Amino acid sequence: MPDTRYLLLAVAVPAAITWALRALPFTVLAPLRASAIVRYLSARMPAGVMVILFVYCLRDVPLSRPHAAAAPLAALAVTVALHLWRRNALLSIAGGTAVSVALASTLFAP
């Protein structure tokens, strides 16, 4: 049986390494917080990310076949309506997802 000092070191060394690895990004990126570029990107990127996600989610919607595109477009409409109504991202995402799954698996099932 190893002695107590060995066991304490066996726990302390990985704990210190884990803490250091988690703190490293914050200490490395701290000088960048004063950067004008980082401030600009932090203000503009959320809208850009949303546009990228929007295009990514709708990239495979077959607009030439209205029957196949009805479920995703209806889910998109519900998502936008819920977000404009309640301004709650979780509610709008969950509501749009529920409508998409329900329509795709029932009314518009292949």
Side-chain angles (χ1 to χ4, degrees):
M1 169 109 186
D3 62 345
T4 305
R5 186 174 154 195
Y6 177 79
L7 292 174
L8 289 175
L9 282 174
V11 171
V13 170
I17 291 172
T18 300
W19 182 84
L21 289 175
R22 289 184 180 184
L24 182 66
F26 295 105
T27 57
V28 169
L29 296 177
L32 294 177
R33 290 187 184 137
S35 169
I37 293 173
V38 171
R39 276 188 272 131
Y40 175 78
L41 290 176
S42 68
R44 301 291 186 249
M45 282 307 292
V49 169
M50 293 304 291
V51 168
I52 291 170
L53 287 173
F54 175 77
V55 170
Y56 180 78
C57 288
L58 297 178
R59 74 185 188 290
D60 292 332
V61 173
L63 296 176
S64 61
R65 294 181 299 149
H67 182 73
L73 294 178
L76 175 65
V78 168
T79 302
V80 170
L82 281 174
H83 192 72
L84 291 175
W85 179 42
R86 288 293 184 184
R87 302 272 182 207
N88 185 337
L90 183 61
L91 175 68
S92 59
I93 291 169
T97 301
V99 168
S100 176
V101 169
L103 290 176
S105 61
T106 56
L107 294 177
F108 301 105

